[in-house]
Amino acid sequence: RPQTQPHDPPTPETGHDDHHLCLSKPSAHVVIEIHWSITSPVRAFRVETESLWDRSESARIAGVDVAVLSPEDLILHLCLHASYHHLFDTPLKYLCDITEAVRHHRERIDWGLLSSMARRRGLARCTYFTLWCAKTTLACEVPAGVLRELRPSDLDPSWMESALHRVLRPETGKTASLTSANLSRLGATGQLREKMGILGRSVFPSRSTLAQMYAVPADSLRIFFFYPVRWRDHVARHRGTAWRMLTRQPQTMKKARQENELRDWLSGPS
């Protein structure tokens, strides 16, 4: 359990909604995310970091003793990450992780505790949606009673059909998931001023956000040299999608609307 506050160095300045540091070494294709919270505190989910530590367990990895999440916390985190954070942008990877976690811990999982924690944290919708997909596609060993208990009353069957389609027939190129919440919101609004605001926040992030992206101290003058790097990376990654959004191409607009609806539903009251 860390003894320092998450806002200590190596990043002297971090935003109030930050929940992890991203350290990368491109030459080695290595990216490490150091979390002090499972998700941003400004979101609708209520994940108490202290409770994760209280239920953590000991494990030995590569000869080193470490603390790992309890089976229930691990599964809930995987469900949140797959559904809300990424909208199943690489579906089989996430569902395989969940299925293997359930298989490995099947004798120890307290499904009643998992269900109650999912509801208390506002994760019932994310948990149901993801576990249902894993059970339907990979025969994940989730008790049917757990799914019945977690099933939201306002579930739209079309979302389930869309999720199965994305798992079994992954989309690529122009039909792929937008994934980025900013891009989805860009397509949802018809107001030029709001579009410019979304683009501005994405292309001109705060110094603290930029510090996380490129592992450079936020209070260093070097941070300003990374804005051109951010612009280059942003254009390389999103230029096609952003253009389709700005020109309101029907297929892209429909996808943006669907992704916004799903994100809003997943983070709604459960």
Side-chain angles (χ1 to χ4, degrees):
R1 187 188 304 250
Q3 299 301 313
T4 58
Q5 294 298 313
H7 289 199
D8 287 345
T11 54
E13 181 183 323
T14 45
H16 71 281
D17 62 341
D18 294 331
H19 62 288
H20 75 281
L21 301 175
C22 184
L23 308 177
S24 62
K25 187 175 182 180
S27 61
H29 304 288
V30 172
V31 177
I32 299 175
E33 291 185 357
I34 303 176
H35 281 251
W36 54 80
S37 178
I38 292 297
T39 190
S40 171
V42 302
R43 290 180 178 151
F45 310 112
R46 302 173 294 280
V47 182
E48 311 90 351
T49 303
E50 192 68 21
S51 67
L52 301 179
W53 284 105
D54 290 340
R55 281 189 300 276
S56 65
E57 303 178 353
S58 298
R60 193 166 183 81
I61 300 176
V64 178
D65 292 325
V66 298
V68 297
L69 292 173
S70 70
E72 296 81 13
D73 286 323
L74 173 62
I75 293 168
L76 289 176
H77 172 52
L78 291 173
C79 288
L80 170 64
H81 197 63
S83 57
Y84 183 82
H85 288 164
H86 289 280
L87 290 183
F88 300 102
D89 56 349
T90 52
L92 282 179
K93 179 183 76 172
Y94 298 129
L95 298 185
C96 286
D97 285 347
I98 291 167
T99 300
E100 182 60 20
V102 171
R103 185 202 65 77
H104 181 74
H105 295 293
R106 61 176 175 265
E107 302 298 331
R108 302 176 53 238
I109 299 172
D110 185 335
W111 287 104
L113 175 62
L114 186 147
S115 296
S116 66
M117 288 197 305
R119 294 191 180 281
R120 187 169 65 251
R121 296 175 179 177
L123 297 174
R125 291 178 173 182
C126 292
T127 304
Y128 173 82
F129 197 86
T130 312
L131 291 180
W132 179 87
C133 284
K135 186 176 182 69
T136 302
T137 58
L138 298 177
C140 182
E141 301 174 45
V142 182
V146 173
L147 291 179
R148 284 196 300 270
E149 182 181 348
L150 289 174
R151 181 182 173 88
S153 58
D154 60 345
L155 178 66
D156 187 338
S158 68
W159 289 337
M160 313 306 288
E161 295 174 7
S162 176
L164 283 182
H165 178 83
R166 292 175 69 171
V167 170
L168 301 175
R169 300 180 61 184
E171 300 169 323
T172 58
K174 294 183 178 181
T175 61
S177 167
L178 305 176
T179 302
S180 166
N182 278 335
L183 282 177
S184 296
R185 301 298 181 194
L186 183 66
T189 179
Q191 300 294 322
L192 179 60
R193 181 176 179 178
E194 191 172 349
K195 285 180 184 290
M196 292 301 101
I198 293 171
L199 284 174
R201 290 190 295 273
S202 183
V203 177
F204 295 95
S206 67
R207 286 189 298 163
S208 59
T209 300
L210 207 64
Q212 289 189 35
M213 292 176 176
Y214 297 103
V216 59
D219 62 350
S220 168
L221 291 177
R222 290 194 299 131
I223 194 72
F224 295 103
F225 291 99
F226 283 87
Y227 277 99
V229 177
R230 166 64 174 169
W231 303 334
R232 179 203 65 190
D233 293 347
H234 206 65
V235 168
R237 183 178 181 184
H238 296 304
R239 63 185 174 217
T241 304
W243 175 251
R244 291 193 294 273
M245 287 286 194
L246 290 171
T247 56
R248 303 185 70 79
Q249 295 185 15
Q251 187 176 27
T252 304
M253 298 299 293
K254 178 181 178 181
K255 187 167 293 295
R257 184 175 64 254
Q258 291 173 339
E259 292 193 5
N260 283 327
E261 290 175 352
L262 180 55
R263 272 197 177 91
D264 291 342
W265 180 80
L266 287 170
S267 61
S270 56

